[in-house]
Amino acid sequence: VFMMGSAYGVPGTNNVYDWQMEFNGVRGSCAEVAPQTYTGLSAPLVGKYGHDLIRKGCRGLNMSESADTEWNVFLDVKAWWMTYKFLSKSPAKVYVLAANATLDMDIHLQEFVDGAAEMENSLLATFVVELAKSFLNAGECKWWDAQTAVMSLDALLGRGDGVCAGWAHSKRTSVGLVWRSELAPGEKLPYGQIKDDPDGDSPLIDYCLLGDAPQMRSEYWRAIKTIK
C-alpha cells in the first residue's frame, strides 16, 4: 500500500498555510469545507455589519504558524486514522511519502514543455503540459503524485532506495484527531500531526523522508517518454 502525505519525521515541514485559507474570495477554508480551499466552487462568504460571518484562517488559527501537518492528511484526518487502523490488521507492506521528500522537487513548466516534445504519445504530451500548468496555478507545486507513483514502482521492482534518499523504516505512528483553537506559546496544533506512537493502532510503516530529485526526474521521463 502506497500513500502520500504527512509532515512526519522532519520538524518544520508543514505545508498547510494561512494564505491558502482564502481563495477566490472564500475565507475560513478548512478541512470540513475542502471544496472552498482551491476550487472556489462554494459561493464567497460575505461580511455583515462590518464583521466576517466566520473567523479568518482556519477556525481562528494561523496555519502557517500553528500547523504541523500536510494537505493530504489535513483534508480528511479521520480517513487517515481509519486507514491506519484497517491496515494494522493487514499483512500488506505500507509505504508513505512524507512532505519533506518533495521539498526540493519544484515543478518547472519549461521542463515539462521540453519533456513533452520528446514524447511518442502526442495526446499524453498535451495532458502532461496542461496538468503542470494547472498545478502551478495552485500557488505551490511539487512532484507529489508522480514521486509517489515512481516510489511505488521502485519498491515493487526491488530497486532499493530509488527516488527516496532517506527513509524511516518500520515506524508505528498515530495521527492526531484533537483540535485546539488556543495554543500555548510554541505549541503546534495536534490535529493532523503524525507522530511516533508505540501503542498506535497502525501498521509498521516505511516513511520516505528525503527525495532524490535527479533520480526522480530521470526515472519519470525515461518511463513516460516511451508510452505509446
Side-chain angles (χ1 to χ4, degrees):
V1 176
F2 300 92
M3 302 168 65
M4 178 181 69
S6 88
Y8 173 81
V10 182
T13 54
N14 165 69
N15 74 352
V16 178
Y17 306 117
D18 201 57
W19 60 264
Q20 295 166 319
M21 299 302 160
E22 180 174 348
F23 193 78
N24 285 358
V26 179
R27 287 197 285 199
S29 302
C30 209
E32 72 276 18
V33 282
Q36 295 181 356
T37 304
Y38 279 126
T39 65
L41 295 178
S42 302
L45 298 171
V46 298
K48 183 178 182 181
Y49 303 119
H51 298 283
D52 293 309
L53 296 181
I54 61 172
R55 292 175 292 179
K56 295 180 181 179
C58 187
R59 304 182 206 171
L61 291 179
N62 182 319
M63 298 301 287
S64 301
E65 299 174 357
S66 303
D68 184 20
T69 187
E70 183 271 344
W71 273 111
N72 290 279
V73 178
F74 185 67
L75 286 175
D76 202 337
V77 175
K78 185 65 177 294
W80 275 76
W81 180 86
M82 294 173 66
T83 301
Y84 276 9
K85 184 178 179 66
F86 174 79
L87 290 172
S88 69
K89 302 173 178 61
S90 167
K93 180 67 176 175
V94 182
Y95 301 84
V96 173
L97 181 77
N100 193 70
T102 63
L103 289 185
D104 64 344
M105 293 195 183
D106 292 329
I107 294 291
H108 301 288
L109 182 59
Q110 191 59 49
E111 177 182 2
F112 277 74
V113 171
D114 294 342
E118 299 179 16
M119 293 174 62
E120 297 184 22
N121 187 320
S122 60
L123 290 177
L124 182 58
T126 300
F127 171 79
V128 165
V129 173
E130 294 304 313
L131 182 63
K133 290 179 181 178
S134 297
F135 266 83
L136 286 165
N137 285 334
E140 183 188 33
C141 187
K142 309 289 185 182
W143 282 78
W144 301 304
D145 303 76
Q147 188 182 1
T148 304
V150 177
M151 177 188 74
S152 66
L153 187 61
D154 288 338
L156 292 171
L157 296 180
R159 292 176 176 170
D161 290 339
V163 295
C164 294
W167 292 86
H169 291 288
S170 300
K171 297 295 183 178
R172 195 178 304 281
T173 54
S174 60
V175 58
L177 297 175
V178 175
W179 184 279
R180 296 193 182 105
S181 290
E182 294 186 6
L183 302 173
E187 181 184 7
K188 294 295 185 180
L189 178 66
Y191 190 78
Q193 284 185 343
I194 292 184
K195 300 293 185 183
D196 290 323
D197 184 353
D199 299 317
D201 198 358
S202 74
L204 294 176
I205 299 173
D206 285 353
Y207 285 91
C208 173
L209 300 183
L210 297 173
D212 186 331
Q215 183 69 14
M216 170 63 205
R217 287 177 165 84
S218 173
E219 289 194 35
Y220 177 83
W221 288 114
R222 183 172 65 249
I224 202 169
K225 285 179 180 178
T226 57
I227 295 177
K228 302 295 185 181

